[in-house]
């Protein structure tokens, strides 16, 4: 057991992994009650592994003082780590409630307290078990252009680098240097085996002390989220940030503020002399980690979403040495629709006389399905796990001069206006979509009237929903603008002339 | 029960055979359709229905198109094609120029990448802009585009010359060298006799697992004695490489030895190890090992173990 310091002096240290929280602490209770039995057992086994033992001391028989009472002991302390490992292996093998494990951990083997390391790993385990439990905002580390030698920045040479280099030690030292004057915090930085990403969890300890005793004190602000998560997918310039809030809990301004402090420190920690970074918004927020990895991840899918997803897989690009044409008719047809032009319209044309025999209804449905396949490709499947919950756009086109019954666009707009205005009054905070001064000026220069029309799509998987609407014939798949297929890869944006506005010169998805 | 299992086995067996035979048939079909004088013979032979002949000619045409396309793709490495953007609001009526880049490694094509261009500028019709692409972010696409594709900025002093060929050539070089580095890293793992990363390990039933804690060093110094004990045990065994890790772009390789020694090797794009830092557990630099490591990436493990 760590010797308790006798004095509490404000210091400049981080909260170490091995500091313990009492098991009655609210954060501990809350985190442990959320985890499943299987996760709890696997966590306990991880903590007992040799390399982690320093951070997760269980209560062993040797820790007990000789004169201590033994009567009301529910769990007898184990003799050794090996014995404990055996116990948990046994528990893993047999069935039972999760309460049994939870109690054993909190009241038995770790009755003396749960270390910061344990709490952090438990929360990360929960995050991995439930990848949709938090709301993430994707940011990009953008290089601040060097005013002196612009040309050097752009050069691609044999040993040039365009991504920020990540070194765990240097990064942690830099981050701690930025943050320790402002707050005490516990950091856990880990790599995940099955997903290509690194997770940083910062537990914010709002106190000048970094002792165990100060950790245990529950400061009155009951709802404030104390942990912040950051994820960076390996080999990409993106960073996802999130506040670890509990189910449906409103994030207080305090939590937001603390996250902002940490967030501001991150690009500084990545920077090196003469290579400075800043965080740039990527207009992307979602709850699904899988969607984040698909739209802002390390792979091929970033700038080829929506209908362009056919370019990612081998659906469109068969191997250059694959000469077989016969049994790939399905894939060929998809390519055909894309090549033939407007979403399979030409394709359906010649085939139509044959299909009249099957009845008008089915051929129409089939045509719509083909149109949807042409527009959405292999994306926007209801169960692909890459659902976006909310997509918000502002229409920046001038109001049509005549009351023109534009069947499609108007339908969508009116149905959402009420919801949207209700939304604004509820929120109170300025939306990211509010026009900037420049944009207002630009609009006033023209003589057309441009109302502030916003469209919000909400649901478990917005673009799968749009695809279904196309398949049902509610939305005309051929006249639908491209941003409705999700190919713009943003969850918030301004639409002008049917396209999401982007910065000129900026390549999507890098 | 045994009979049911036997039946299942038999069914699976049959399925496998059907798959093999079908693949064989597809292969034979494409060989037949690729026969040089096949179309002429089709024309000359009498057929029962004219429609069959038309179908056959169509199939032959499709096969020869595919053959031609594949030959170009395999030989040129970078090929261009045209597609149509289905978006009714797309610029330039949705005309898209696609550039396809093949990556050959060890005699097979491992991956195909696409860059799709549109022409946003109505006055300068030849100016291309990257519309969509499937290039991973660890490839410097933006700098390459800045250099070889004109920037439509007002501040740009003189419009830079657009060179699609040079752009594609450089992009292909980046992509192929990246795949070669990935391959070399795999080879290093094999050299170090590490288990294959892709092979399912015993923990495969656990979906996501914490692989490595990167800031374990933040732990308090109080526990250092215990730590030393643990590593002492490891030191008793023969010195071996525990991990060979690379970042996504394989520009940096980290090798961890069983005695706590860690080496970080920086790799240039063409696979040369140009900067090395090897530290022992105590934090002192190992200069001799560092100088040994310099050179090609391929023999890195052998050089270190020699």
């Amino acid at each position: 057991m760590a010797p308790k310091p006798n004095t509490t002096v404000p210091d400049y240290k981080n909260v170490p992994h091995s500091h313990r929280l009492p098991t009655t602490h609210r954060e501990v209770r809350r985190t442990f009650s959320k985890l499943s039995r299987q996760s709890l057992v696997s966590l306990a086994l991880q903590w007992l592994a040799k390399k982690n033992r320093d951070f997760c001391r269980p209560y062993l028989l040797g820790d007990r003082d000789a004169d201590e009472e033994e009567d009301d002991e529910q769990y007898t302390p184990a003799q050794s780590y090996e014995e404990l490992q055996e116990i948990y292996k046994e528990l893993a093998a047999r069935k039972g409630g999760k309460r049994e494990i939870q109690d054993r951990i909190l009241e038995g083997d770790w009755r003396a307290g749960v270390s910061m390391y344990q709490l952090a790993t438990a929360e990360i385990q929960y995050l991995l078990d439930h990848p949709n439990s938090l709301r993430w905002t994707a940011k990009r580390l953008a290089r601040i252009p060097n005013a002196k030698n612009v040309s050097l920045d752009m050069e691609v040479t044999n040993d040039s680098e365009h991504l920020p280099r990540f070194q765990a030690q240097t990064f942690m030292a830099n981050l701690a240097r930025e943050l320790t004057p402002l707050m005490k915090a516990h950091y856990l930085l880990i790599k995940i085996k099955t997903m290509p990403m690194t997770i940083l969890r910062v537990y914010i300890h709002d106190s000048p002390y970094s002792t165990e005793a100060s950790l245990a004190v529950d400061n009155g602000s009951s709802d404030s989220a104390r942990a912040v998560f950051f994820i960076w997918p390996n080999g990409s310039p993106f960073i996802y940030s999130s506040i670890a809030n509990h189910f449906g809990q409103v994030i207080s301004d305090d939590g937001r503020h603390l996250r902002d402090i940490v967030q501001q420190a991150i690009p500084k920690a990545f920077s090196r002399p003469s290579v400075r970074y800043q965080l740039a918004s990527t207009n992307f927020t979602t709850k699904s980690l899988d969607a984040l990895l698909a739209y802002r991840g390390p792979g091929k899918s970033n700038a080829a979403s929506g209908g362009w997803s056919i370019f990612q897989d081998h659906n469109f690009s068969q191997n250059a040495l694959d000469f077989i044409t016969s049994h790939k008719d399905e894939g060929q047809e998809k390519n055909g629709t894309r090549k033939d032009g407007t979403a399979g319209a030409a394709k359906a044309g010649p085939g139509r006389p044959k299909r009249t025999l099957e009845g008008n209804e089915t051929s129409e449905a089939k045509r719509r399905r083909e149109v949807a396949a042409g527009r959405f490709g292999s994306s926007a499947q209801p169960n692909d796990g890459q659902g976006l919950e909310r997509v918000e756009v502002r229409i920046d086109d001038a109001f049509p001069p005549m009351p023109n019954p534009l069947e499609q666009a108007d339908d969508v707009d009116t149905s959402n206006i009420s919801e949207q205005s209700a939304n604004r009054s509820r929120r109170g905070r300025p939306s990211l979509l509010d026009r900037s001064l420049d944009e207002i000026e630009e609009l006033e220069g023209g003589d057309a009237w441009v109302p502030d029309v916003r469209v919000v799509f909400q649901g478990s998987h917005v673009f799968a929903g749009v695809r279904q609407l196309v398949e049902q014939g509610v939305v005309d798949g051929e006249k639908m603008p491209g941003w409705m297929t999700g190919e713009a890869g943003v969850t918030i944006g301004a639409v002008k002339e049917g396209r999401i506005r982007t910065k000129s010169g900026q390549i999507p998805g890098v | 029960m045994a009979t049911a299992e036997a039946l299942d086995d038999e069914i699976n067996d049959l399925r496998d055979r059907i798959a093999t035979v079908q693949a064989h048939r597809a292969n034979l079909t494409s060989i037949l359709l690729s026969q040089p004088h096949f179309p002429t013979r089709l024309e000359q032979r009498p057929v029962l229905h004219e429609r069959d002949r038309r179908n056959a000619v169509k199939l032959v045409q499709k096969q020869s198109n595919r053959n031609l396309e594949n030959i170009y793709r395999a030989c040129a490495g970078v090929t261009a094609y045209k597609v149509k953007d289905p978006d009714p609001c797309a610029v330039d009526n949705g005309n898209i120029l696609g550039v396809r880049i093949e990556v050959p490694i060890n005699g097979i094509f491992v991956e195909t990448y696409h860059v799709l261009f549109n022409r946003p500028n109505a006055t300068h019709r030849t100016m291309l802009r990257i519309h969509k692409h499937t290039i991973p972010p660890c490839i410097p696409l933006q700098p390459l585009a800045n250099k070889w594709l004109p920037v439509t900025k007002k501040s740009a002093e003189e419009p830079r010359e657009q060179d699609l060929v040079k752009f594609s050539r450089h992009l292909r070089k980046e992509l192929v060298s990246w795949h070669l580095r990935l391959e070399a890293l795999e080879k290093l793992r094999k050299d170090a006799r590490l288990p294959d990363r892709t092979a399912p390990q015993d923990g495969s039933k656990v979906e996501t697992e914490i692989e490595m804690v990167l800031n374990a060093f933040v732990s308090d110094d109080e526990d250092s004695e215990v730590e030393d004990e643990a590593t002492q045990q490891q030191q008793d065994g023969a010195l071996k490489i525990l991990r060979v890790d690379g970042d996504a772009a394989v520009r940096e390789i980290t090798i961890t030895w069983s005695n706590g020694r860690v080496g970080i090797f920086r790799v240039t794009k063409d696979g040369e190890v140009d900067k090395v830092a090897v530290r022992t557990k105590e934090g002192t630099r190992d200069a001799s090992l560092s100088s040994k490591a310099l050179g090609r990436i391929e023999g890195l493990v052998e050089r270190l173990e020699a």
Side-chain angles (χ1 to χ4, degrees), chain A residues 189 318 322 325 487 499 508, chain B residues 63 66 73 89 132 214:
Chain A
L189 186 66
Q318 81 282 357
D322 179 8
T325 50
E487 63 180 47
R499 297 186 298 273
Chain B
Q63 181 68 46
R66 166 69 75 94
R73 283 176 57 189
C89 308
K132 305 277 168 189
L214 294 172

Side-chain angles (χ1 to χ4, degrees), chain A residues 306-341:
Chain A
W308 306 95
S309 56
I310 56 164
F311 289 94
Q312 293 166 34
D313 39 38
H314 296 281
N315 192 337
F316 178 75
S317 45
Q318 81 282 357
N319 197 304
L321 297 180
D322 179 8
F323 287 93
I324 292 166
T325 50
S326 53
H327 69 282
K328 289 202 176 154
D329 284 313
E330 209 195 328
Q332 285 295 312
E333 204 169 311
K334 267 185 194 164
N335 298 349
T337 54
R338 176 52 66 102
K339 274 181 181 161
D340 281 352

Side-chain angles (χ1 to χ4, degrees), chain A residues 165-180:
Chain A
R165 169 143 290 183
F166 175 70
Q167 260 292 325
Q169 280 91 335
T170 323
F171 175 80
M172 281 310 303
N174 286 344
L175 187 66
R177 198 178 55 217
E178 288 289 327
L179 288 179
T180 26

Side-chain angles (χ1 to χ4, degrees), chain A residues 309-413:
Chain A
S309 56
I310 56 164
F311 289 94
Q312 293 166 34
D313 39 38
H314 296 281
N315 192 337
F316 178 75
S317 45
Q318 81 282 357
N319 197 304
L321 297 180
D322 179 8
F323 287 93
I324 292 166
T325 50
S326 53
H327 69 282
K328 289 202 176 154
D329 284 313
E330 209 195 328
Q332 285 295 312
E333 204 169 311
K334 267 185 194 164
N335 298 349
T337 54
R338 176 52 66 102
K339 274 181 181 161
D340 281 352
T342 328
K347 192 80 190 169
R352 201 166 271 168
K354 253 186 276 171
R355 274 181 214 140
T356 41
L357 296 172
E358 301 160 23
N360 215 358
E361 185 60 44
T362 49
S363 82
E364 188 57 26
K366 185 163 185 223
R367 202 186 76 84
R368 285 198 301 257
R369 220 179 45 249
E370 280 176 1
V371 168
R375 292 307 296 278
F376 289 94
S378 47
S379 74
Q381 303 293 347
N383 46 9
D384 60 0
Q386 300 176 354
L388 307 180
E389 302 80 35
R390 185 185 164 89
V391 176
E392 190 175 359
V393 295
R394 186 186 70 213
I395 310 285
D396 264 359
D397 286 326
F399 198 75
M402 298 247 293
N404 193 3
L406 268 176
E407 61 288 349
Q408 206 41 59
D410 276 358
D411 278 354
V412 179
D413 289 357

Side-chain angles (χ1 to χ4, degrees), chain A residues 2-3 13-19 38 46 50-52 54-55 57 117 121 124-125 128-129 154-163 165-169 172 187-195 198 234-238 297-300 302-304 308 311-312 314 316-327 329 332 338-339 341-343 374-375 478-483 487-488 497-499 502-510, chain B residues 22-23 25-27 29-30 33 59 62-63 66-67 69-71 73-74 81-91 96 100 102 107-114 116 129-147 151-153 160 170 174 201 205-220 222-223 226-227 230 233 243 245-249 251-252 254 264 266-271 274:
Chain A
K13 280 199 300 192
N14 292 320
V15 178
H17 284 321
S18 51
H19 270 187
Q38 197 202 344
Q46 276 175 41
K50 229 177 222 157
K51 56 180 181 190
N52 295 333
D54 297 339
F55 309 137
R57 295 277 179 98
Y117 178 84
T121 44
I124 287 168
Q125 183 69 44
L128 297 176
D129 290 348
M154 288 179 5
E155 215 55 42
V156 181
T157 57
N158 193 19
D159 50 0
S160 68
E161 279 176 58
H162 67 291
L163 290 179
R165 169 143 290 183
F166 175 70
Q167 260 292 325
Q169 280 91 335
M172 281 310 303
Y187 307 95
L188 184 72
L189 186 66
I190 58 167
K191 250 172 144 177
I192 303 296
K193 211 177 242 171
T194 45
M195 288 173 156
T198 310
N234 304 343
S236 80
F238 300 108
K300 296 166 77 178
N302 287 354
W308 306 95
F311 289 94
Q312 293 166 34
H314 296 281
F316 178 75
S317 45
Q318 81 282 357
N319 197 304
L321 297 180
D322 179 8
F323 287 93
I324 292 166
T325 50
S326 53
H327 69 282
D329 284 313
Q332 285 295 312
R338 176 52 66 102
K339 274 181 181 161
T342 328
R375 292 307 296 278
E478 289 171 46
K479 290 185 184 152
M480 177 177 70
W483 55 266
E487 63 180 47
E497 288 162 13
R499 297 186 298 273
T502 47
K503 269 187 230 156
S504 64
Q506 171 79 44
I507 296 171
V510 291
Chain B
Q22 272 174 343
R25 174 168 168 254
N27 204 2
T29 314
S30 47
L33 289 173
L59 283 174
K62 194 168 139 191
Q63 181 68 46
R66 166 69 75 94
N67 291 353
E69 183 189 323
N70 279 4
I71 287 167
R73 283 176 57 189
Y81 54 93
K82 275 188 197 164
V83 279
K84 180 104 181 153
D85 192 339
D87 185 353
C89 308
V91 289
I96 300 280
R100 180 168 40 201
E102 316 282 339
I108 54 163
F109 288 98
V110 289
E111 195 62 275
T112 307
Y113 295 96
H114 299 267
L116 300 154
R129 185 179 160 271
I130 294 177
H131 181 47
K132 305 277 168 189
H133 64 87
T134 63
I135 311 291
C138 60
I139 302 295
L141 185 63
Q142 179 87 57
L144 283 176
N146 287 348
K147 187 160 185 193
V151 202
T152 46
K153 251 192 251 168
R160 223 176 262 106
H170 279 90
E174 293 283 334
Q201 291 162 349
K205 56 185 182 292
V206 186
E207 282 169 359
T208 38
E209 210 177 276
I210 293 162
E211 185 182 349
M212 191 168 42
V213 179
L214 294 172
N215 68 334
F217 52 86
V218 180
S219 98
D220 249 1
E222 305 157 6
D223 302 322
V226 190
E227 244 171 45
Q233 287 166 358
R243 311 174 56 97
D245 295 308
D247 62 347
R251 297 296 308 284
E252 190 179 277
T254 311
I264 295 177
R266 218 180 79 168
V267 184
T268 59
K269 280 177 188 163
D270 55 7
D274 71 337

